[in-house]
Amino acid sequence: MTGQKPLPPIDDDTRAYWAGLARGELLLQHCRACGHVQFYQRALCGRCLSPSLDPRPASGRGSIYSFSTVHRPPSAEFKDDVPYTVVLVELSEGPRMISTLVDTPPETVRIGQPVEIVYDRVTPEITLPRFRRAAAPTAG
Amino acid sequence: MRSYRGQVAIVGVGETPVGKVPGRSALWFNAEATRLALEDAGLDKAQVDGLVTAPSFVAPFARMSVAVSEYLGIRPTFSNTLNVSGATAAASVSVAAAAIHAGLADTVVVCCGDNMLSGLTRDLAVKALVESRDPQYEAPFGLLVATTFALTAQRHMAEYGTTPEQLARVAVVTRGHAMKKPGAQMTAPITVEDVLASKLITTPYHMLDCALVSDGGAAFVLTAAERARDLRRKPVYLLGGGESYTQEHIFCAESITTTGAAISSRRAYAMAGVRPEDIDVAGIYDCFTGTVVMMLEDLGFCKKGEGGPFVEAGQITYGGRIPINTHGGMLSYAHPGLPGGFFHIVEMVRQLRGEAGERQVAGAELALCHSLGGGFATNATIILGTEEKG
Ligand SMILES: [Zn+2]
């Protein structure tokens, strides 16, 4: 690890999300009006604009919707990490999110593989949601 | 449907030298391209009452269109600094045409210039790009803009069997085109093997699958069709335009292999009253090789999933179905950031005027330009023609 990697600036929209991750929960917002499940954390439902949203922990399981192994670091802070694999994870609840894989050799990564969340505590406030290959296929 | 079809024409184009052009500012690239475009149009700067440009990565001006106007010594009554990332090129031409058609301005300069290569180191350029990702949900994971596009290509390969060789072929073909374009940044011939042997950047993309980093600027002059007929150059008419903004984050995209380009192009074809099979030559934003493959599908030049075989069969060059990026595109001609997509439009104007020399597509009457950005967050299409009514 070198230098300061970009850390998310917590605001009112995302406070609950980062607090959830810090205690080991990946929160998805469930709309009480229309049932829509959304990622990322917002003050209103992206489908019906209702402000009534219920943050519920996700299963933390999903599958690799797509991936790319980064060989050229975006900045010096990521130099020691390359090659690392960025994944677009499709959560079993439906929404997708960007993350990186841990404990997974890049050449073994395939689209469709099941993954599960790993909570990577970076600072007392910030825990980044990362993923690793899951043993069994997920129901979703 | 209300429409600017045939109401507005591009009457002048200008391009600065591109590639490594040290010592010149972003303002200069805008101004020099504009000076050349006005000269080409045979118009005096006093006749310009509108100016549209895009922000610079390097220069600090928040009101770039105002700063460029001052540099040129003009006081327009219509001004816009437009930024829809890579889609800015076609979108700004569309906005200028709409402004003229609506009576907001009579003669609009659309320009864009930057010095991404000399003004920013390559590392800083990449850093500027990563910092354009969402600081909450993307940047902490070291997501290059290139990686967002790579995710789409990887998925396209899995869904449709597109191969790395087919992606590489795009770079090889457009390099061949750049070899015939005076001033192109990269003119050494390359092979599919060269592309695949070049350094991996973000899989499946190698160095030669990625656009260049350059300095350069381009400009167009637009005016009403009835005025265009009296000017020195053969007018190139705006026949249709369409845009689409489907999401900000790649993870919010409904599909990552069918993009907003399908929507923006459908709107542009409908306004122009033409079909994909009517288009003679195209300028397709080529930030990455796979981007072109997907756009060939979404723009309707081939069926979804057949972009790879279409490229492999020689359909994107002379003698094929649709020659694209005859100037070499951003993969081989130049990519100074936001100006990258503007050179495609300059080239399409030259093709329609019949001025492309040994790059000329014989009898070209209809051209399509498509610009896009932000991992397909933004898409803009315009259709140009030699006749007012397509
Ligand atoms: Zn809702």
Side-chain angles (χ1 to χ4, degrees), chain B residues 171-195:
Chain B
V172 172
V173 168
T174 52
R175 177 62 59 88
H177 294 172
M179 288 163 67
K180 295 182 177 169
K181 167 72 181 171
Q185 189 171 342
M186 301 298 280
T187 53
I190 53 170
T191 63
V192 165
E193 293 68 34
D194 292 334
V195 178

mmCIF file with all atom_site columns, all heavy atoms in Angstrom, chain B residues 171-195:
data_model
loop_
_atom_site.group_PDB
_atom_site.id
_atom_site.type_symbol
_atom_site.label_atom_id
_atom_site.label_alt_id
_atom_site.label_comp_id
_atom_site.label_asym_id
_atom_site.label_entity_id
_atom_site.label_seq_id
_atom_site.pdbx_PDB_ins_code
_atom_site.Cartn_x
_atom_site.Cartn_y
_atom_site.Cartn_z
_atom_site.occupancy
_atom_site.B_iso_or_equiv
_atom_site.pdbx_formal_charge
_atom_site.auth_seq_id
_atom_site.auth_comp_id
_atom_site.auth_asym_id
_atom_site.auth_atom_id
_atom_site.pdbx_PDB_model_num
ATOM 1   N N   . ALA B 1 171 ? -8.300  -1.611  -34.649 1.00 0.00 ? 171 ALA B N   1
ATOM 2   C CA  . ALA B 1 171 ? -7.107  -0.769  -34.555 1.00 0.00 ? 171 ALA B CA  1
ATOM 3   C C   . ALA B 1 171 ? -6.257  -0.878  -35.816 1.00 0.00 ? 171 ALA B C   1
ATOM 4   O O   . ALA B 1 171 ? -5.695  0.110   -36.295 1.00 0.00 ? 171 ALA B O   1
ATOM 5   C CB  . ALA B 1 171 ? -6.281  -1.163  -33.329 1.00 0.00 ? 171 ALA B CB  1
ATOM 6   N N   . VAL B 1 172 ? -6.176  -2.098  -36.356 1.00 0.00 ? 172 VAL B N   1
ATOM 7   C CA  . VAL B 1 172 ? -5.361  -2.335  -37.551 1.00 0.00 ? 172 VAL B CA  1
ATOM 8   C C   . VAL B 1 172 ? -5.954  -1.589  -38.755 1.00 0.00 ? 172 VAL B C   1
ATOM 9   O O   . VAL B 1 172 ? -5.240  -0.909  -39.497 1.00 0.00 ? 172 VAL B O   1
ATOM 10  C CB  . VAL B 1 172 ? -5.263  -3.850  -37.835 1.00 0.00 ? 172 VAL B CB  1
ATOM 11  C CG1 . VAL B 1 172 ? -4.597  -4.114  -39.186 1.00 0.00 ? 172 VAL B CG1 1
ATOM 12  C CG2 . VAL B 1 172 ? -4.518  -4.551  -36.703 1.00 0.00 ? 172 VAL B CG2 1
ATOM 13  N N   . VAL B 1 173 ? -7.267  -1.687  -38.922 1.00 0.00 ? 173 VAL B N   1
ATOM 14  C CA  . VAL B 1 173 ? -7.937  -1.046  -40.065 1.00 0.00 ? 173 VAL B CA  1
ATOM 15  C C   . VAL B 1 173 ? -7.808  0.473   -39.978 1.00 0.00 ? 173 VAL B C   1
ATOM 16  O O   . VAL B 1 173 ? -7.461  1.141   -40.958 1.00 0.00 ? 173 VAL B O   1
ATOM 17  C CB  . VAL B 1 173 ? -9.431  -1.461  -40.112 1.00 0.00 ? 173 VAL B CB  1
ATOM 18  C CG1 . VAL B 1 173 ? -10.205 -0.591  -41.097 1.00 0.00 ? 173 VAL B CG1 1
ATOM 19  C CG2 . VAL B 1 173 ? -9.563  -2.934  -40.483 1.00 0.00 ? 173 VAL B CG2 1
ATOM 20  N N   . THR B 1 174 ? -8.070  1.030   -38.791 1.00 0.00 ? 174 THR B N   1
ATOM 21  C CA  . THR B 1 174 ? -8.038  2.489   -38.700 1.00 0.00 ? 174 THR B CA  1
ATOM 22  C C   . THR B 1 174 ? -6.611  3.024   -38.757 1.00 0.00 ? 174 THR B C   1
ATOM 23  O O   . THR B 1 174 ? -6.383  4.138   -39.206 1.00 0.00 ? 174 THR B O   1
ATOM 24  C CB  . THR B 1 174 ? -8.794  2.997   -37.451 1.00 0.00 ? 174 THR B CB  1
ATOM 25  O OG1 . THR B 1 174 ? -8.314  2.317   -36.294 1.00 0.00 ? 174 THR B OG1 1
ATOM 26  C CG2 . THR B 1 174 ? -10.286 2.739   -37.584 1.00 0.00 ? 174 THR B CG2 1
ATOM 27  N N   . ARG B 1 175 ? -5.620  2.207   -38.352 1.00 0.00 ? 175 ARG B N   1
ATOM 28  C CA  . ARG B 1 175 ? -4.230  2.609   -38.543 1.00 0.00 ? 175 ARG B CA  1
ATOM 29  C C   . ARG B 1 175 ? -3.931  2.732   -40.036 1.00 0.00 ? 175 ARG B C   1
ATOM 30  O O   . ARG B 1 175 ? -3.274  3.679   -40.485 1.00 0.00 ? 175 ARG B O   1
ATOM 31  C CB  . ARG B 1 175 ? -3.269  1.617   -37.872 1.00 0.00 ? 175 ARG B CB  1
ATOM 32  C CG  . ARG B 1 175 ? -1.777  1.910   -38.081 1.00 0.00 ? 175 ARG B CG  1
ATOM 33  C CD  . ARG B 1 175 ? -1.370  3.251   -37.479 1.00 0.00 ? 175 ARG B CD  1
ATOM 34  N NE  . ARG B 1 175 ? -1.640  3.313   -36.065 1.00 0.00 ? 175 ARG B NE  1
ATOM 35  C CZ  . ARG B 1 175 ? -0.792  2.912   -35.108 1.00 0.00 ? 175 ARG B CZ  1
ATOM 36  N NH1 . ARG B 1 175 ? 0.378   2.455   -35.427 1.00 0.00 ? 175 ARG B NH1 1
ATOM 37  N NH2 . ARG B 1 175 ? -1.143  3.006   -33.828 1.00 0.00 ? 175 ARG B NH2 1
ATOM 38  N N   . GLY B 1 176 ? -4.458  1.809   -40.788 1.00 0.00 ? 176 GLY B N   1
ATOM 39  C CA  . GLY B 1 176 ? -4.298  1.876   -42.249 1.00 0.00 ? 176 GLY B CA  1
ATOM 40  C C   . GLY B 1 176 ? -4.890  3.172   -42.795 1.00 0.00 ? 176 GLY B C   1
ATOM 41  O O   . GLY B 1 176 ? -4.315  3.800   -43.700 1.00 0.00 ? 176 GLY B O   1
ATOM 42  N N   . HIS B 1 177 ? -6.016  3.599   -42.234 1.00 0.00 ? 177 HIS B N   1
ATOM 43  C CA  . HIS B 1 177 ? -6.635  4.848   -42.671 1.00 0.00 ? 177 HIS B CA  1
ATOM 44  C C   . HIS B 1 177 ? -5.761  6.047   -42.291 1.00 0.00 ? 177 HIS B C   1
ATOM 45  O O   . HIS B 1 177 ? -5.580  6.970   -43.090 1.00 0.00 ? 177 HIS B O   1
ATOM 46  C CB  . HIS B 1 177 ? -8.034  4.992   -42.045 1.00 0.00 ? 177 HIS B CB  1
ATOM 47  C CG  . HIS B 1 177 ? -9.003  3.954   -42.524 1.00 0.00 ? 177 HIS B CG  1
ATOM 48  N ND1 . HIS B 1 177 ? -10.257 3.802   -41.984 1.00 0.00 ? 177 HIS B ND1 1
ATOM 49  C CD2 . HIS B 1 177 ? -8.917  3.006   -43.492 1.00 0.00 ? 177 HIS B CD2 1
ATOM 50  C CE1 . HIS B 1 177 ? -10.903 2.826   -42.597 1.00 0.00 ? 177 HIS B CE1 1
ATOM 51  N NE2 . HIS B 1 177 ? -10.102 2.319   -43.512 1.00 0.00 ? 177 HIS B NE2 1
ATOM 52  N N   . ALA B 1 178 ? -5.216  6.017   -41.073 1.00 0.00 ? 178 ALA B N   1
ATOM 53  C CA  . ALA B 1 178 ? -4.389  7.139   -40.599 1.00 0.00 ? 178 ALA B CA  1
ATOM 54  C C   . ALA B 1 178 ? -3.147  7.317   -41.465 1.00 0.00 ? 178 ALA B C   1
ATOM 55  O O   . ALA B 1 178 ? -2.643  8.433   -41.623 1.00 0.00 ? 178 ALA B O   1
ATOM 56  C CB  . ALA B 1 178 ? -3.975  6.905   -39.144 1.00 0.00 ? 178 ALA B CB  1
ATOM 57  N N   . MET B 1 179 ? -2.665  6.223   -42.033 1.00 0.00 ? 179 MET B N   1
ATOM 58  C CA  . MET B 1 179 ? -1.464  6.299   -42.863 1.00 0.00 ? 179 MET B CA  1
ATOM 59  C C   . MET B 1 179 ? -1.687  7.180   -44.088 1.00 0.00 ? 179 MET B C   1
ATOM 60  O O   . MET B 1 179 ? -0.738  7.663   -44.695 1.00 0.00 ? 179 MET B O   1
ATOM 61  C CB  . MET B 1 179 ? -1.038  4.888   -43.287 1.00 0.00 ? 179 MET B CB  1
ATOM 62  C CG  . MET B 1 179 ? -0.449  4.088   -42.117 1.00 0.00 ? 179 MET B CG  1
ATOM 63  S SD  . MET B 1 179 ? -0.394  2.307   -42.434 1.00 0.00 ? 179 MET B SD  1
ATOM 64  C CE  . MET B 1 179 ? 0.824   2.241   -43.753 1.00 0.00 ? 179 MET B CE  1
ATOM 65  N N   . LYS B 1 180 ? -2.970  7.384   -44.448 1.00 0.00 ? 180 LYS B N   1
ATOM 66  C CA  . LYS B 1 180 ? -3.278  8.238   -45.608 1.00 0.00 ? 180 LYS B CA  1
ATOM 67  C C   . LYS B 1 180 ? -3.723  9.633   -45.185 1.00 0.00 ? 180 LYS B C   1
ATOM 68  O O   . LYS B 1 180 ? -4.166  10.428  -46.014 1.00 0.00 ? 180 LYS B O   1
ATOM 69  C CB  . LYS B 1 180 ? -4.373  7.579   -46.443 1.00 0.00 ? 180 LYS B CB  1
ATOM 70  C CG  . LYS B 1 180 ? -3.927  6.265   -47.064 1.00 0.00 ? 180 LYS B CG  1
ATOM 71  C CD  . LYS B 1 180 ? -5.037  5.687   -47.923 1.00 0.00 ? 180 LYS B CD  1
ATOM 72  C CE  . LYS B 1 180 ? -4.556  4.403   -48.596 1.00 0.00 ? 180 LYS B CE  1
ATOM 73  N NZ  . LYS B 1 180 ? -5.674  3.680   -49.207 1.00 0.00 ? 180 LYS B NZ  1
ATOM 74  N N   . LYS B 1 181 ? -3.672  9.913   -43.885 1.00 0.00 ? 181 LYS B N   1
ATOM 75  C CA  . LYS B 1 181 ? -4.135  11.211  -43.395 1.00 0.00 ? 181 LYS B CA  1
ATOM 76  C C   . LYS B 1 181 ? -2.926  12.048  -42.976 1.00 0.00 ? 181 LYS B C   1
ATOM 77  O O   . LYS B 1 181 ? -2.261  11.735  -41.980 1.00 0.00 ? 181 LYS B O   1
ATOM 78  C CB  . LYS B 1 181 ? -5.079  11.005  -42.213 1.00 0.00 ? 181 LYS B CB  1
ATOM 79  C CG  . LYS B 1 181 ? -5.395  12.246  -41.404 1.00 0.00 ? 181 LYS B CG  1
ATOM 80  C CD  . LYS B 1 181 ? -6.318  13.213  -42.130 1.00 0.00 ? 181 LYS B CD  1
ATOM 81  C CE  . LYS B 1 181 ? -6.567  14.438  -41.238 1.00 0.00 ? 181 LYS B CE  1
ATOM 82  N NZ  . LYS B 1 181 ? -7.273  15.504  -41.940 1.00 0.00 ? 181 LYS B NZ  1
ATOM 83  N N   . PRO B 1 182 ? -2.630  13.107  -43.729 1.00 0.00 ? 182 PRO B N   1
ATOM 84  C CA  . PRO B 1 182 ? -1.475  13.934  -43.367 1.00 0.00 ? 182 PRO B CA  1
ATOM 85  C C   . PRO B 1 182 ? -1.594  14.445  -41.925 1.00 0.00 ? 182 PRO B C   1
ATOM 86  O O   . PRO B 1 182 ? -2.663  14.879  -41.512 1.00 0.00 ? 182 PRO B O   1
ATOM 87  C CB  . PRO B 1 182 ? -1.553  15.098  -44.363 1.00 0.00 ? 182 PRO B CB  1
ATOM 88  C CG  . PRO B 1 182 ? -2.372  14.582  -45.506 1.00 0.00 ? 182 PRO B CG  1
ATOM 89  C CD  . PRO B 1 182 ? -3.334  13.595  -44.910 1.00 0.00 ? 182 PRO B CD  1
ATOM 90  N N   . GLY B 1 183 ? -0.508  14.357  -41.178 1.00 0.00 ? 183 GLY B N   1
ATOM 91  C CA  . GLY B 1 183 ? -0.488  14.886  -39.816 1.00 0.00 ? 183 GLY B CA  1
ATOM 92  C C   . GLY B 1 183 ? -0.959  13.936  -38.742 1.00 0.00 ? 183 GLY B C   1
ATOM 93  O O   . GLY B 1 183 ? -0.970  14.302  -37.567 1.00 0.00 ? 183 GLY B O   1
ATOM 94  N N   . ALA B 1 184 ? -1.377  12.737  -39.124 1.00 0.00 ? 184 ALA B N   1
ATOM 95  C CA  . ALA B 1 184 ? -1.853  11.794  -38.104 1.00 0.00 ? 184 ALA B CA  1
ATOM 96  C C   . ALA B 1 184 ? -0.736  11.478  -37.109 1.00 0.00 ? 184 ALA B C   1
ATOM 97  O O   . ALA B 1 184 ? 0.438   11.424  -37.474 1.00 0.00 ? 184 ALA B O   1
ATOM 98  C CB  . ALA B 1 184 ? -2.358  10.515  -38.761 1.00 0.00 ? 184 ALA B CB  1
ATOM 99  N N   . GLN B 1 185 ? -1.139  11.243  -35.858 1.00 0.00 ? 185 GLN B N   1
ATOM 100 C CA  . GLN B 1 185 ? -0.148  11.017  -34.803 1.00 0.00 ? 185 GLN B CA  1
ATOM 101 C C   . GLN B 1 185 ? 0.571   9.676   -34.973 1.00 0.00 ? 185 GLN B C   1
ATOM 102 O O   . GLN B 1 185 ? 1.754   9.562   -34.710 1.00 0.00 ? 185 GLN B O   1
ATOM 103 C CB  . GLN B 1 185 ? -0.854  11.081  -33.438 1.00 0.00 ? 185 GLN B CB  1
ATOM 104 C CG  . GLN B 1 185 ? 0.071   11.084  -32.241 1.00 0.00 ? 185 GLN B CG  1
ATOM 105 C CD  . GLN B 1 185 ? -0.688  11.368  -30.950 1.00 0.00 ? 185 GLN B CD  1
ATOM 106 O OE1 . GLN B 1 185 ? -1.815  11.879  -30.969 1.00 0.00 ? 185 GLN B OE1 1
ATOM 107 N NE2 . GLN B 1 185 ? -0.089  11.052  -29.822 1.00 0.00 ? 185 GLN B NE2 1
ATOM 108 N N   . MET B 1 186 ? -0.160  8.645   -35.393 1.00 0.00 ? 186 MET B N   1
ATOM 109 C CA  . MET B 1 186 ? 0.424   7.316   -35.508 1.00 0.00 ? 186 MET B CA  1
ATOM 110 C C   . MET B 1 186 ? 0.232   6.805   -36.927 1.00 0.00 ? 186 MET B C   1
ATOM 111 O O   . MET B 1 186 ? -0.906  6.652   -37.391 1.00 0.00 ? 186 MET B O   1
ATOM 112 C CB  . MET B 1 186 ? -0.262  6.349   -34.535 1.00 0.00 ? 186 MET B CB  1
ATOM 113 C CG  . MET B 1 186 ? -0.159  6.768   -33.072 1.00 0.00 ? 186 MET B CG  1
ATOM 114 S SD  . MET B 1 186 ? 1.526   6.857   -32.445 1.00 0.00 ? 186 MET B SD  1
ATOM 115 C CE  . MET B 1 186 ? 1.827   5.127   -32.131 1.00 0.00 ? 186 MET B CE  1
ATOM 116 N N   . THR B 1 187 ? 1.343   6.532   -37.608 1.00 0.00 ? 187 THR B N   1
ATOM 117 C CA  . THR B 1 187 ? 1.234   6.127   -39.011 1.00 0.00 ? 187 THR B CA  1
ATOM 118 C C   . THR B 1 187 ? 2.028   4.864   -39.343 1.00 0.00 ? 187 THR B C   1
ATOM 119 O O   . THR B 1 187 ? 2.049   4.447   -40.493 1.00 0.00 ? 187 THR B O   1
ATOM 120 C CB  . THR B 1 187 ? 1.709   7.267   -39.942 1.00 0.00 ? 187 THR B CB  1
ATOM 121 O OG1 . THR B 1 187 ? 3.005   7.666   -39.518 1.00 0.00 ? 187 THR B OG1 1
ATOM 122 C CG2 . THR B 1 187 ? 0.762   8.456   -39.892 1.00 0.00 ? 187 THR B CG2 1
ATOM 123 N N   . ALA B 1 188 ? 2.665   4.256   -38.343 1.00 0.00 ? 188 ALA B N   1
ATOM 124 C CA  . ALA B 1 188 ? 3.389   3.007   -38.622 1.00 0.00 ? 188 ALA B CA  1
ATOM 125 C C   . ALA B 1 188 ? 2.374   1.872   -38.742 1.00 0.00 ? 188 ALA B C   1
ATOM 126 O O   . ALA B 1 188 ? 1.473   1.766   -37.915 1.00 0.00 ? 188 ALA B O   1
ATOM 127 C CB  . ALA B 1 188 ? 4.375   2.705   -37.504 1.00 0.00 ? 188 ALA B CB  1
ATOM 128 N N   . PRO B 1 189 ? 2.498   1.039   -39.774 1.00 0.00 ? 189 PRO B N   1
ATOM 129 C CA  . PRO B 1 189 ? 1.520   -0.050  -39.921 1.00 0.00 ? 189 PRO B CA  1
ATOM 130 C C   . PRO B 1 189 ? 1.582   -1.020  -38.738 1.00 0.00 ? 189 PRO B C   1
ATOM 131 O O   . PRO B 1 189 ? 2.651   -1.239  -38.172 1.00 0.00 ? 189 PRO B O   1
ATOM 132 C CB  . PRO B 1 189 ? 1.939   -0.746  -41.221 1.00 0.00 ? 189 PRO B CB  1
ATOM 133 C CG  . PRO B 1 189 ? 3.316   -0.289  -41.507 1.00 0.00 ? 189 PRO B CG  1
ATOM 134 C CD  . PRO B 1 189 ? 3.512   1.032   -40.832 1.00 0.00 ? 189 PRO B CD  1
ATOM 135 N N   . ILE B 1 190 ? 0.431   -1.561  -38.356 1.00 0.00 ? 190 ILE B N   1
ATOM 136 C CA  . ILE B 1 190 ? 0.394   -2.554  -37.277 1.00 0.00 ? 190 ILE B CA  1
ATOM 137 C C   . ILE B 1 190 ? -0.415  -3.766  -37.717 1.00 0.00 ? 190 ILE B C   1
ATOM 138 O O   . ILE B 1 190 ? -1.227  -3.674  -38.647 1.00 0.00 ? 190 ILE B O   1
ATOM 139 C CB  . ILE B 1 190 ? -0.207  -1.991  -35.958 1.00 0.00 ? 190 ILE B CB  1
ATOM 140 C CG1 . ILE B 1 190 ? -1.583  -1.348  -36.216 1.00 0.00 ? 190 ILE B CG1 1
ATOM 141 C CG2 . ILE B 1 190 ? 0.739   -1.019  -35.297 1.00 0.00 ? 190 ILE B CG2 1
ATOM 142 C CD1 . ILE B 1 190 ? -2.345  -0.987  -34.947 1.00 0.00 ? 190 ILE B CD1 1
ATOM 143 N N   . THR B 1 191 ? -0.188  -4.873  -37.034 1.00 0.00 ? 191 THR B N   1
ATOM 144 C CA  . THR B 1 191 ? -0.924  -6.104  -37.312 1.00 0.00 ? 191 THR B CA  1
ATOM 145 C C   . THR B 1 191 ? -1.754  -6.480  -36.086 1.00 0.00 ? 191 THR B C   1
ATOM 146 O O   . THR B 1 191 ? -1.533  -5.943  -34.983 1.00 0.00 ? 191 THR B O   1
ATOM 147 C CB  . THR B 1 191 ? 0.048   -7.272  -37.593 1.00 0.00 ? 191 THR B CB  1
ATOM 148 O OG1 . THR B 1 191 ? 0.813   -7.500  -36.396 1.00 0.00 ? 191 THR B OG1 1
ATOM 149 C CG2 . THR B 1 191 ? 1.000   -6.949  -38.738 1.00 0.00 ? 191 THR B CG2 1
ATOM 150 N N   . VAL B 1 192 ? -2.654  -7.426  -36.281 1.00 0.00 ? 192 VAL B N   1
ATOM 151 C CA  . VAL B 1 192 ? -3.445  -7.946  -35.158 1.00 0.00 ? 192 VAL B CA  1
ATOM 152 C C   . VAL B 1 192 ? -2.504  -8.487  -34.073 1.00 0.00 ? 192 VAL B C   1
ATOM 153 O O   . VAL B 1 192 ? -2.705  -8.261  -32.876 1.00 0.00 ? 192 VAL B O   1
ATOM 154 C CB  . VAL B 1 192 ? -4.410  -9.053  -35.657 1.00 0.00 ? 192 VAL B CB  1
ATOM 155 C CG1 . VAL B 1 192 ? -4.974  -9.866  -34.498 1.00 0.00 ? 192 VAL B CG1 1
ATOM 156 C CG2 . VAL B 1 192 ? -5.538  -8.419  -36.475 1.00 0.00 ? 192 VAL B CG2 1
ATOM 157 N N   . GLU B 1 193 ? -1.427  -9.155  -34.503 1.00 0.00 ? 193 GLU B N   1
ATOM 158 C CA  . GLU B 1 193 ? -0.465  -9.713  -33.545 1.00 0.00 ? 193 GLU B CA  1
ATOM 159 C C   . GLU B 1 193 ? 0.192   -8.595  -32.729 1.00 0.00 ? 193 GLU B C   1
ATOM 160 O O   . GLU B 1 193 ? 0.422   -8.741  -31.532 1.00 0.00 ? 193 GLU B O   1
ATOM 161 C CB  . GLU B 1 193 ? 0.614   -10.531 -34.271 1.00 0.00 ? 193 GLU B CB  1
ATOM 162 C CG  . GLU B 1 193 ? 0.102   -11.819 -34.941 1.00 0.00 ? 193 GLU B CG  1
ATOM 163 C CD  . GLU B 1 193 ? -0.819  -11.592 -36.143 1.00 0.00 ? 193 GLU B CD  1
ATOM 164 O OE1 . GLU B 1 193 ? -0.613  -10.596 -36.899 1.00 0.00 ? 193 GLU B OE1 1
ATOM 165 O OE2 . GLU B 1 193 ? -1.769  -12.381 -36.323 1.00 0.00 ? 193 GLU B OE2 1
ATOM 166 N N   . ASP B 1 194 ? 0.500   -7.467  -33.400 1.00 0.00 ? 194 ASP B N   1
ATOM 167 C CA  . ASP B 1 194 ? 1.096   -6.329  -32.682 1.00 0.00 ? 194 ASP B CA  1
ATOM 168 C C   . ASP B 1 194 ? 0.157   -5.829  -31.585 1.00 0.00 ? 194 ASP B C   1
ATOM 169 O O   . ASP B 1 194 ? 0.586   -5.498  -30.482 1.00 0.00 ? 194 ASP B O   1
ATOM 170 C CB  . ASP B 1 194 ? 1.370   -5.159  -33.639 1.00 0.00 ? 194 ASP B CB  1
ATOM 171 C CG  . ASP B 1 194 ? 2.478   -5.457  -34.635 1.00 0.00 ? 194 ASP B CG  1
ATOM 172 O OD1 . ASP B 1 194 ? 3.347   -6.297  -34.310 1.00 0.00 ? 194 ASP B OD1 1
ATOM 173 O OD2 . ASP B 1 194 ? 2.472   -4.857  -35.733 1.00 0.00 ? 194 ASP B OD2 1
ATOM 174 N N   . VAL B 1 195 ? -1.124  -5.743  -31.908 1.00 0.00 ? 195 VAL B N   1
ATOM 175 C CA  . VAL B 1 195 ? -2.098  -5.248  -30.925 1.00 0.00 ? 195 VAL B CA  1
ATOM 176 C C   . VAL B 1 195 ? -2.136  -6.190  -29.733 1.00 0.00 ? 195 VAL B C   1
ATOM 177 O O   . VAL B 1 195 ? -2.058  -5.768  -28.576 1.00 0.00 ? 195 VAL B O   1
ATOM 178 C CB  . VAL B 1 195 ? -3.506  -5.113  -31.555 1.00 0.00 ? 195 VAL B CB  1
ATOM 179 C CG1 . VAL B 1 195 ? -4.521  -4.655  -30.505 1.00 0.00 ? 195 VAL B CG1 1
ATOM 180 C CG2 . VAL B 1 195 ? -3.482  -4.152  -32.750 1.00 0.00 ? 195 VAL B CG2 1
#
